[in-house]
Amino acid sequence: MSASGEKSGDFKWRTFTAWLLLAACLLAVWPLQNSIDRERGSGPDVMLTLLTGSGKRLRQLCLGYDGLLADIYWTRAVQYFGRSRLKHADVMPLLGPLLNLATDLDPHLLIAYRFGAIFLAERAPLGAGEPQAALQLLRKGIVANPGYWRLWQDLGFVYYWDLRNYPAASRAFLAGSEQPGAMIWMKTLAAAVAAQGGEDRTSAMLWEQIYLHPGNDEVRRSAADHLAALRAQTELRQLNVLIERYRQRQGRWPDSFAALIVAGYLREIPRDPSGAPYVIGKDGKAALSKASKVDLSLAH
Amino acid sequence: MNSISRVATIAVHSFKESVREKVLYNLVGFALLLIAAAILFGSISVGIQKTILINLGLSSISVFGLLMAIFIGVGLVAKEIERRTLYNILSKPVARAEFIVGKYLGLLVTLVINTAIMALGFYAALYYVTRQFVRADAIALEAIYLILLQFAIVVGVAIFFSCISTPVLSAVFTFCVYVIGNYLADIRWFGRENGSVLMEKLTHALYFLLPNFANFQATSLAAHGMRIPGYLLVSDSLYALLYVTVLVSAAVLAFEEREFK
Amino acid sequence: MWAVETIGLTKDYSAGFWRKRPLRALDGLSLRVEKGGIFGLLGPNGAGKTTTLKILLRLVFPTAGSAQLLGRDIRDISVHRLIGYLPENPYFYDHLTAPEFLNYMAEIFGMGRDARCRRVGTLLERVGLASFQKLPLRKFSKGMTQRAGIAQALINDPELIFLDEPMSGLDPLGRREVRDLILGLREEGKTIFFSTHILGDAETLCDRVAILHRGRLEGLGGMQEILSREVSSAEIVLEHPSPELVELAKSLASSVVRTGERVRMVIPEAAQPERVLAQFLERGAKVVSFNEVRNSLEDYFMERVGSPARAPDVRSAHPPAGGENP
């Protein structure tokens, strides 16, 4: 390298101009890019609209890179989902097509089916609210991966939780339990769903199985939230029984759980699954405190 | 003899030189072949023949033009360094900056002409399929213009890498920048979701530092006969102009420092 | 004003991939070359000749020191208008013909169409390529490429011409042609600065030489002074010497070489060759020849560059060196 001090005037002038142009144009690119982004909407969504074609045709066109492309679309689907959730979007019109594309490209991309089953079916704003699309995706997955019983579990789950079609759910669990390697509790589930569909205990059992299976973090977090809600709902029901009992004995509503402790119904202030104490509302019923992180709507 | 006429001389010569590259004819030939194949391809899928032709035609122009931009961009600068033909030029009263700017302009002219040839082939195929031209067909021309703007940036990237690296590596780097430049928005999103402040800052910086090729995507709009918004044509032109200036300046700075051992 | 003036020109290359360590290619070269005439830069391979030329032409930048061409700093490339340069082992755009290539070079100098045409025609004639107008450069032989390179170096009718190893790769006829060309340029009053490791070429062409070894200037002088230095030794050849005579020879001579029936020895000036000769004759030796050994450029070169052990590649790698001494 030449020492920078030994360049002639002409050379210096050119270097200076080049640096100036470089810096000025780079600085100008910034606001311009922002303006383009604003006008186009957020960048990738424009791209996403291009991708609603048929994955099968795409697969023939992508020269053997279908696996990679499937992964890209799967990533896109997750990103799209995350962004829609952040924006509290009411609809996620592209989630289904994206998952379909990813699974068309790679029919063995199991995570896409399982993820799709949960979040396509879930009501907005937690999911896309398209249980029928979820069923379709799962059926496609079952055809492509006949030996994988977990997809039957998911199918049954969508029937149970989102469509409240307990006979169909039971049939799905039963079909899954007959697959090689299926867990024994699938049979129990089939029976329980048939007999006591709609009860918290059955629902909690279903969510627990999803929570226990290692896989997508998003799915597990969602399962944990649902479980907490279900548990809180059960606990609230039990607390209301105690409050009712207190009222019958004492002839008045308790103003707090402390009163129930004094009366010997409770040993300590009860806490919900997120650790916040339960409170007694103005109507005299047990309720979640404001600090609670549990979302009761998740328990239906 | 002033700077401008020396730049022009070098530009004209590099254009003449690139015209003699056989690889160029092969690529243009392939592109035309693919456009012709789109006619057949479209005829077996009912109803969307024209859409397929536009999609496939514009995609082939984009892909083969991209290959050309990389090949001649790298070939005509890095090769000149590697083969030492540059020694003759630099021993003449030619500033290094003049050489780079001249080369860039020469390659740009080559690309414009090749893209024009491919566009002609595309419109010939379109006419063959529809037996008419409608006003909406002009949209494809706008899409081709946006594709050409991308080529202008790619050639700049290729020349920049040629100034600091070997021909093979330059080609690889240029291709990588093109691919990354198509996914910049995703990369920034990853950075934001990552949770680490450093990652977020880094990906944010990358978003503005690397050329954003996603700005130029309009093929699908054209395929569905949707107008490309005027603001996009203007802002994309401006973006390409700014970014090419950045690249050529960077190439000049690197080239001024480069020693030819 | 000097044609070429360098002051303490130094160049370090960094070698090694991971740990860069500097490699000094040129070490404080200070040199002045007058206008007019032929200046030879001599030295074994790797001595720094090409580096010197590349620094002067701004292809590499000096680590330290400065240089001027025709009174202008080398950083001012407008001086390139007045100079010509033939790189070592030149390579040109292989798809062009010689006239196209020369035309391109002439265009860079801003010559008009007619002037270009005339200049290109003259030059092709001069370097003997006039009959190869249609042949692309990639089909040129080594010698033809070299001549095309010389033509492009002369395109702007330069005052100062740098030629890096102009004779390398040429057959004897080609070398003769290039030599005549260089001499012709001197007649026109140009300054020619050329590098070579072939001492014979330098001896026949140069007015002045500089000797470079391992990046250092080891000698500088006019060819006349170098060749006309005083006689330094004599060579005596004996036929069928007796063992006793051989012993005597070994005690007096600086070197004794036996070839077949003859023994050749070199007697240094200090040992008084005439007296040694008398001694041999007294003892009845059969003296075949007695010659004064005149200094050649090669001797000067060896003296400056050092013993053959220090610069082994000079003799072994280049057998023609010194072969054309008078």
Side-chain angles (χ1 to χ4, degrees):
Chain A
M1 284 293 130
S2 61
S4 53
E6 52 119 14
K7 284 165 190 161
S8 75
D10 196 27
F11 185 89
K12 253 186 194 156
W13 181 83
R14 265 198 308 273
T15 313
F16 177 72
T17 314
W19 275 116
L20 198 73
L21 277 173
L22 184 83
C25 291
L26 258 186
L27 279 178
V29 157
W30 191 18
L32 181 63
Q33 181 66 56
N34 279 332
S35 119
I36 292 176
D37 284 351
R38 253 197 320 279
E39 296 283 354
R40 281 204 152 203
S42 61
D45 278 355
V46 176
M47 277 193 77
L48 287 172
T49 57
L50 321 181
L51 307 178
T52 49
S54 153
K56 290 198 182 85
R57 195 198 304 155
L58 197 61
R59 193 176 173 193
Q60 288 148 1
L61 284 174
C62 62
L63 308 169
Y65 292 105
D66 39 343
L68 179 69
L69 216 54
D71 295 347
I72 289 175
Y73 282 126
W74 160 235
T75 315
R76 276 257 157 84
V78 177
Q79 281 180 23
Y80 175 75
F81 172 73
R83 210 174 317 140
S84 304
R85 269 264 278 256
L86 276 180
K87 286 194 286 197
H88 300 286
D90 287 340
V91 284
M92 302 186 190
L94 292 180
L95 186 61
L98 278 171
L99 287 168
N100 250 322
L101 262 177
T103 51
D104 272 351
L105 285 167
D106 183 358
H108 307 299
L109 197 65
L110 296 167
I111 185 73
Y113 297 115
R114 305 210 64 200
F115 179 90
I118 306 291
F119 291 114
L120 261 181
E122 187 99 64
R123 285 161 307 145
L126 292 173
E130 301 174 38
Q132 291 302 335
L135 292 180
Q136 222 171 2
L137 184 71
L138 281 169
R139 289 218 184 85
K140 190 173 91 180
I142 288 168
V143 170
N145 308 277
Y148 191 70
W149 60 272
R150 292 257 181 210
L151 293 178
W152 285 105
Q153 182 198 345
D154 294 335
L155 189 71
F157 187 82
V158 173
Y159 272 124
Y160 177 89
W161 187 255
D162 298 292
L163 295 171
R164 301 180 181 281
N165 183 343
Y166 305 129
S170 174
R171 275 197 301 278
F173 287 129
L174 197 63
S177 72
E178 281 157 12
Q179 300 302 320
M183 290 290 180
I184 191 74
W185 48 257
M186 284 285 281
K187 277 204 187 351
T188 324
L189 221 49
V193 166
Q196 326 158 321
E199 286 185 12
D200 283 353
R201 200 146 38 97
T202 321
S203 305
M205 187 161 128
L206 283 167
W207 277 115
E208 202 155 6
Q209 289 310 332
I210 288 172
Y211 178 75
L212 288 175
H213 183 63
N216 188 287
D217 283 345
E218 195 103 35
V219 174
R220 294 193 63 194
R221 215 177 305 134
S222 171
D225 290 347
H226 280 95
L227 276 172
L230 284 167
R231 201 178 308 145
Q233 184 169 286
T234 312
E235 285 170 358
L236 284 171
R237 219 172 274 152
Q238 288 164 354
L239 287 171
N240 279 333
V241 170
L242 289 180
I243 292 170
E244 182 59 26
R245 223 177 271 164
Y246 179 94
R247 192 184 65 83
Q248 281 169 6
R249 286 258 182 98
Q250 310 283 334
R252 59 184 168 91
W253 292 101
D255 48 3
S256 72
F257 283 116
L260 282 149
I261 295 173
V262 171
Y265 290 105
L266 285 169
R267 288 214 187 107
E268 55 191 329
I269 301 286
R271 286 174 184 276
D272 71 25
S274 73
Y278 287 109
V279 293
I280 294 179
K282 291 215 171 86
D283 58 354
K285 298 267 181 197
L288 293 172
S289 81
K290 286 213 178 79
S292 173
K293 292 197 184 75
V294 176
D295 179 4
L296 266 188
S297 72
L298 293 180
H300 281 242
Chain B
M1 184 80 179
N2 55 27
S3 241
I4 291 168
S5 49
R6 276 194 296 269
V7 167
T9 304
I10 291 169
V12 168
H13 180 262
S14 34
F15 169 68
K16 279 189 197 158
E17 196 188 351
S18 67
V19 165
R20 303 198 194 203
E21 291 268 344
K22 287 205 184 72
V23 63
L24 222 59
Y25 295 103
N26 292 335
L27 289 175
V28 173
F30 264 119
L32 294 178
L33 208 68
L34 208 63
I35 292 169
I39 299 173
L40 294 177
F41 198 73
S43 64
I44 49 173
S45 51
V46 186
I48 51 167
Q49 197 179 8
K50 193 175 168 188
T51 311
I52 288 189
L53 177 64
I54 295 177
N55 258 329
L56 205 58
L58 293 185
S59 302
S60 0
I61 291 176
S62 167
V63 168
F64 287 99
L66 178 72
L67 288 179
M68 272 181 236
I70 294 178
F71 266 112
I72 62 172
V74 167
L76 294 188
V77 178
K79 221 164 64 192
E80 190 135 12
I81 295 171
E82 199 184 53
R83 290 189 177 174
R84 292 177 279 117
T85 46
L86 189 64
Y87 292 7
N88 299 300
I89 308 286
L90 292 188
S91 66
K92 307 285 180 265
V94 173
R96 293 183 175 202
E98 291 165 3
F99 176 79
I100 292 293
V101 175
K103 273 280 162 186
Y104 179 79
L105 292 177
L107 300 188
L108 197 61
V109 170
T110 311
L111 272 174
V112 169
I113 288 175
N114 282 303
T115 310
I117 294 171
M118 291 191 286
L120 274 179
F122 167 74
Y123 273 103
L126 197 63
Y127 186 76
Y128 178 84
V129 168
T130 57
R131 295 282 163 201
Q132 57 168 354
F133 282 130
V134 292
R135 273 187 74 92
D137 291 343
I139 297 170
L141 208 57
E142 293 172 351
I144 291 173
Y145 171 69
L146 291 185
I147 290 173
L148 198 58
L149 290 182
Q150 297 189 55
F151 296 163
I153 296 181
V154 171
V155 174
V157 175
I159 286 190
F160 171 70
F161 281 123
S162 292
C163 290
I164 57 173
S165 185
T166 61
V168 177
L169 281 182
S170 305
V172 172
F173 287 154
T174 307
F175 186 71
C176 288
V177 167
Y178 178 76
V179 172
I180 294 171
N182 267 300
Y183 291 96
L184 278 179
D186 297 73
I187 289 171
R188 184 168 67 159
W189 192 83
F190 274 128
R192 222 178 260 162
E193 291 303 293
N194 186 277
S196 133
V197 179
L198 183 74
M199 264 319 256
E200 190 178 337
K201 288 248 159 65
L202 201 72
T203 50
H204 199 72
L206 273 184
Y207 186 73
F208 292 104
L209 213 58
L210 292 177
N212 193 341
F213 289 107
N215 288 345
F216 302 95
Q217 272 156 357
T219 305
S220 73
L221 290 179
H224 293 110
M226 291 189 266
R227 276 206 62 83
I228 296 172
Y231 81 84
L232 201 64
L233 292 174
V234 174
S235 55
D236 277 358
S237 307
L238 191 59
Y239 182 88
L241 183 70
L242 288 177
Y243 211 89
V244 163
T245 314
V246 168
L247 286 167
V248 173
S249 308
V252 165
L253 287 171
F255 201 59
E256 294 276 12
E257 290 293 325
R258 176 130 184 197
E259 300 200 306
F260 303 99
K261 291 168 196 170
Chain C
M1 186 173 73
W2 303 92
V4 178
E5 183 182 18
T6 73
I7 300 159
L9 218 49
T10 300
K11 178 66 192 173
D12 289 335
Y13 286 124
S14 57
F17 191 71
W18 290 115
R19 207 170 297 163
K20 305 260 186 205
R21 57 201 155 75
L23 191 83
R24 187 144 286 194
L26 201 58
D27 194 357
L29 178 69
S30 295
L31 201 63
R32 277 174 174 170
V33 179
E34 293 162 358
K35 273 187 159 183
I38 303 173
F39 186 89
L41 189 59
L42 310 185
N45 290 341
K49 304 185 296 286
T50 297
T51 300
T52 308
L53 287 176
K54 281 185 175 176
I55 289 174
L56 294 179
L57 271 303
R58 290 305 277 169
L59 292 171
V60 300
F61 311 120
T63 311
S66 64
Q68 292 195 332
L69 300 178
L70 302 168
R72 283 190 239 175
D73 194 288
I74 51 169
R75 287 166 295 178
D76 176 8
I77 58 161
S78 68
V79 75
H80 287 194
R81 194 173 289 284
L82 305 173
I83 65 179
Y85 170 54
L86 168 73
E88 190 180 12
N89 300 320
Y91 185 97
F92 307 112
Y93 304 101
D94 48 14
H95 59 272
L96 295 181
T97 64
E100 282 172 331
F101 171 56
L102 292 178
N103 206 52
Y104 173 33
M105 293 294 127
E107 239 178 296
I108 287 181
F109 283 100
M111 293 161 109
R113 183 180 292 269
D114 292 343
R116 284 204 307 263
C117 237
R118 267 198 311 275
R119 184 72 189 151
V120 170
T122 321
L123 277 175
L124 286 175
E125 199 69 51
R126 184 160 187 183
V127 299
L129 291 174
S131 49
F132 300 102
Q133 304 260 355
K134 297 265 182 288
L135 197 67
L137 288 167
R138 67 170 169 276
K139 297 205 171 134
F140 271 32
S141 69
K142 181 100 204 261
M144 287 160 77
T145 308
Q146 198 80 11
R147 281 183 278 169
I150 293 173
Q152 66 83 26
L154 300 179
I155 194 81
N156 51 332
D157 195 20
E159 278 179 44
L160 172 61
I161 302 151
F162 293 95
L163 306 170
D164 199 352
E165 300 281 0
M167 320 281 197
S168 79
L170 298 184
D171 58 18
L173 200 67
R175 278 162 74 171
R176 161 61 57 79
E177 281 172 4
V178 170
R179 199 178 303 161
D180 292 346
L181 201 77
I182 293 175
L183 289 171
L185 289 170
R186 176 169 63 178
E187 293 300 303
E188 292 172 24
K190 315 280 188 202
T191 311
I192 296 110
F193 186 112
F194 83 100
S195 81
T196 185
H197 61 257
I198 304 172
L199 298 174
D201 291 335
E203 193 162 327
T204 44
L205 279 173
C206 293
D207 300 314
R208 279 167 69 79
V209 294
I211 290 173
L212 214 54
H213 182 52
R214 296 182 175 179
R216 283 176 195 276
L217 183 66
E218 297 286 0
L220 180 66
M223 194 58 82
Q224 288 302 319
E225 309 154 33
I226 290 170
L227 296 184
S228 62
R229 290 186 312 163
E230 55 187 295
V231 172
S232 59
S233 55
E235 181 194 70
I236 302 174
V237 180
L238 306 179
E239 204 168 65
H240 294 302
S242 63
E244 177 206 357
L245 281 174
V246 175
E247 280 308 308
L248 178 65
K250 278 184 180 162
S251 67
L252 296 168
S254 62
S255 80
V256 178
V257 180
R258 192 170 197 132
T259 43
E261 292 155 353
R262 294 184 173 185
V263 168
R264 183 209 305 253
M265 68 199 77
V266 175
I267 312 294
E269 192 61 33
Q272 293 175 302
E274 290 80 3
R275 282 190 52 196
V276 175
L277 180 66
Q279 271 182 305
F280 281 132
L281 292 171
E282 267 170 38
R283 288 162 207 233
K286 192 172 174 192
V287 175
V288 178
S289 74
F290 175 86
N291 280 317
E292 287 184 336
V293 179
R294 282 190 59 201
N295 247 303
S296 67
L297 180 60
E298 186 183 351
D299 294 316
Y300 180 71
F301 184 86
M302 293 316 297
E303 186 187 309
R304 294 305 169 132
V305 166
S307 66
R310 261 182 70 196
D313 55 339
V314 175
R315 270 170 197 271
S316 56
H318 309 291
E324 290 169 55
N325 289 352

